[in-house]
């Protein structure tokens, strides 16, 4: 039973470059989430998908950020024209949508982005 | 506005002893869910325990229990018989029951160190 996997684990890039991260959720999970976590903080919600539909997007997500989940399986998060403030851990989580409030998320180990 | 407060940046506990990690929350919604997650140094968030706002009894999951005091808006995590592997960051989080909201709101976390 494989968990949520994220690739790459670490990414170092120069300011202004574009980066793309990939998340492979647990295979039977239909919901997929992206969160961002900076040092000393809790995660901040970015967006989520139910199957291939992007149902909610945070106002934190500027137009430089885009996420896709084309076939309702893996997802990509792209950041264009990276800025130093984008440096953070990007966490992906998946879940099997059943209940409402008690939905439990399964997280990957994250992608640590450093923008120089 | 919804908010989670964790006032203990760091805690120490002796192996085999119990420890309580504090969490208070702020919401005007009558229905909400509260979660605790553990984040070891590997980075992935691991679900520990859930408490619904209408649950009559405090939640328990093995060595984890949640001391839920609704009137005080607190949801403290109790870890009994601490083990060295419990050393990690612990995050309290809340989900509102509002429409299609799926977002978790997180606290800043508490770093727990278990001493041998």
């Amino acid at each position: 039973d494989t968990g949520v996997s994220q690739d790459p684990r670490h990414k170092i890039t120069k300011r202004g470059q574009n980066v793309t991260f990939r998340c492979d959720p647990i295979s039977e999970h239909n919901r997929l989430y992206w969160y961002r976590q900076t040092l000393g903080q809790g995660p901040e919600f970015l967006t989520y998908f139910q199957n291939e539909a992007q149902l909610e997007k945070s106002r934190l997500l500027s137009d430089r950020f885009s996420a896709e989940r084309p076939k309702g399986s893996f997802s990509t998060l792209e950041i264009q024209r990276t800025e130093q403030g984008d440096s953070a851990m990007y966490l992906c989580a998946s879940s099997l949508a059943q209940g409402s409030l008690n939905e439990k998320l399964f997280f990957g180990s994250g992608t640590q982005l450093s923008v120089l | 506005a919804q908010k989670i407060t964790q006032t203990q940046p760091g805690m120490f506990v002796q192996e085999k002893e119990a420890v309580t990690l504090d969490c208070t929350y702020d919401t005007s919604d009558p229905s909400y869910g509260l979660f605790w997650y553990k984040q070891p140094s590997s980075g992935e968030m691991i679900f520990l325990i859930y408490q619904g706002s209408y649950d009559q009894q405090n939640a328990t999951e093995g060595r984890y229990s949640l001391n839920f005091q609704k009137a005080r808006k607190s949801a403290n995590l109790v870890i009994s018989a601490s083990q060295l592997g419990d050393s990690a960051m612990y995050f309290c989080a809340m989900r509102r029951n509002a429409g299609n909201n799926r977002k978790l709101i997180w606290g800043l976390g508490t770093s727990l160190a278990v001493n041998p």
Side-chain angles (χ1 to χ4, degrees):
Chain A
D1 177 30
T2 56
V4 177
S5 64
Q6 293 187 244
D7 183 67
R9 287 296 313 274
H10 304 274
K11 178 71 177 178
I12 300 173
T13 191
K14 291 183 180 178
R15 190 176 50 184
Q17 298 293 304
N18 300 344
V19 294
T20 300
F21 311 139
R22 178 180 170 121
C23 172
D24 287 90
I26 294 171
S27 57
E28 64 269 24
H29 284 184
N30 57 350
R31 283 194 182 143
L32 187 148
Y33 295 78
W34 286 98
Y35 281 83
R36 179 173 67 187
Q37 186 179 21
T38 52
L39 201 60
Q41 303 289 318
E44 294 175 297
F45 170 81
L46 293 178
T47 188
Y48 94 94
F49 294 82
Q50 180 149 324
N51 301 313
E52 64 275 6
Q54 188 174 19
L55 295 186
E56 190 177 352
K57 195 172 165 180
S58 167
R59 283 170 287 182
L60 292 173
L61 221 61
S62 75
D63 56 5
R64 297 184 297 106
F65 288 70
S66 62
E68 292 183 343
R69 194 182 183 199
K71 295 181 181 177
S73 57
F74 74 92
S75 175
T76 57
L77 177 69
E78 182 184 15
I79 309 174
Q80 296 183 326
R81 305 180 303 281
T82 51
E83 301 172 356
Q84 287 184 326
D86 298 331
S87 296
M89 175 78 85
Y90 290 83
L91 295 168
C92 176
S94 70
S95 75
L96 186 62
Q98 290 178 319
S100 174
L101 279 178
N102 64 351
E103 178 187 343
K104 184 169 72 174
L105 301 188
F106 294 81
F107 283 82
S109 295
T111 293
Q112 181 66 53
L113 173 66
S114 298
V115 181
L116 305 178
Chain B
Q2 287 70 39
K3 189 177 179 182
I4 294 284
T5 302
Q6 294 181 254
T7 57
Q8 305 155 314
M11 291 282 286
F12 293 92
V13 65
Q14 209 63 29
E15 193 179 8
K16 298 180 186 175
E17 293 187 350
V19 64
T20 298
L21 307 183
D22 294 341
C23 172
T24 58
Y25 59 91
D26 188 17
T27 183
S28 55
D29 296 313
S31 178
Y32 49 88
L34 296 159
F35 299 78
W36 278 91
Y37 281 82
K38 171 185 178 181
Q39 188 176 38
S41 56
S42 58
E44 69 180 279
M45 290 283 187
I46 301 166
F47 168 80
L48 296 178
I49 197 166
Y50 166 81
Q51 179 83 44
S53 59
Y54 289 121
D55 292 345
Q56 294 296 314
Q57 302 213 330
N58 287 344
T60 60
E61 292 275 356
R63 294 187 298 111
Y64 305 107
S65 60
L66 204 150
N67 183 1
F68 181 47
Q69 298 187 46
K70 194 170 180 178
R72 292 187 175 186
K73 293 191 174 179
S74 76
N76 297 340
L77 177 70
V78 181
I79 306 174
S80 63
S82 297
Q83 301 171 356
L84 295 178
D86 293 336
S87 295
M89 285 292 295
Y90 288 81
F91 289 91
C92 181
M94 175 173 65
R95 177 181 287 130
R96 302 167 56 207
N97 187 19
N100 291 321
N101 174 66
R102 304 254 50 83
K103 176 170 65 176
L104 281 171
I105 298 161
W106 300 76
L108 295 181
T110 295
S111 176
L112 177 66
V114 180
N115 297 325

